[in-house]
Amino acid sequence: MTRDFETTVAAVRACEICKPHLPLGPRPVFQISQTARILVVGQAPGWRVHETGIPFNDPSGERLRGWMGIDRSVFYDSGRIALLPMGFCYPGTGKSGDLPPRPECAEHWRKQLLALLPDIQLTLVIGQYAQ
């Protein structure tokens, strides 16, 4: 890994930009490697993902892996697949389900992280906010 990669990933994992707005506090959840060839862009982690710290570790992740035709070992191989939601932390619950992803993540980190993924050949965009 390059120094820029390591530094940027460490900064994102330690991010607290939107801490005052997060009911469970910050816990950035994502998966990234400079060798990944597939990028899955989701919305934001749900409470179950927040609890485990594993991206797509919920029923939606099971459906996604089934749709992709791959098992957990392939899906969680960061050398193959990067998982970068629009918001890295659980945003909380609203009247009709989880709140939208906080905009701070995409505004502050998205371009920096995407620049560190030189080999992406396929991007899957999952959900309204990711689109």
Side-chain angles (χ1 to χ4, degrees):
M1 287 193 282
T2 67
R3 189 64 148 157
D4 286 345
F5 182 86
E6 293 172 359
T7 301
T8 302
V9 169
V12 176
R13 293 207 188 279
C15 181
E16 294 188 342
I17 291 172
C18 53
K19 183 178 180 175
H21 306 286
L22 301 173
L24 301 180
R27 184 177 191 180
V29 178
F30 62 98
Q31 171 178 296
I32 190 171
S33 167
Q34 290 180 294
T35 62
R37 293 181 179 249
I38 297 173
L39 171 61
V40 177
V41 180
Q43 299 188 128
W47 68 267
R48 190 172 295 159
V49 170
H50 175 86
E51 291 295 317
T52 65
I54 302 169
F56 288 101
N57 190 32
D58 56 17
S60 70
E62 291 295 325
R63 285 189 302 275
L64 176 59
R65 288 185 291 279
W67 176 81
M68 291 175 72
I70 59 175
D71 63 19
R72 290 178 70 89
S73 66
V74 173
F75 189 76
Y76 292 115
D77 179 349
S78 65
R80 294 177 174 183
I81 299 176
L83 306 171
L84 293 177
M86 296 305 293
F88 299 124
C89 297
Y90 172 62
T93 303
K95 292 180 183 178
S96 61
D98 288 347
L99 293 170
R102 298 285 318 163
E104 296 90 341
C105 287
E107 291 169 1
H108 192 78
W109 297 116
R110 194 127 203 98
K111 285 183 183 179
Q112 293 178 64
L113 289 170
L114 292 176
L116 299 173
L117 296 171
D119 294 330
I120 297 299
Q121 296 178 5
L122 174 68
T123 300
L124 301 175
V125 181
I126 311 298
Q128 171 185 343
Y129 296 103
Q131 294 176 15

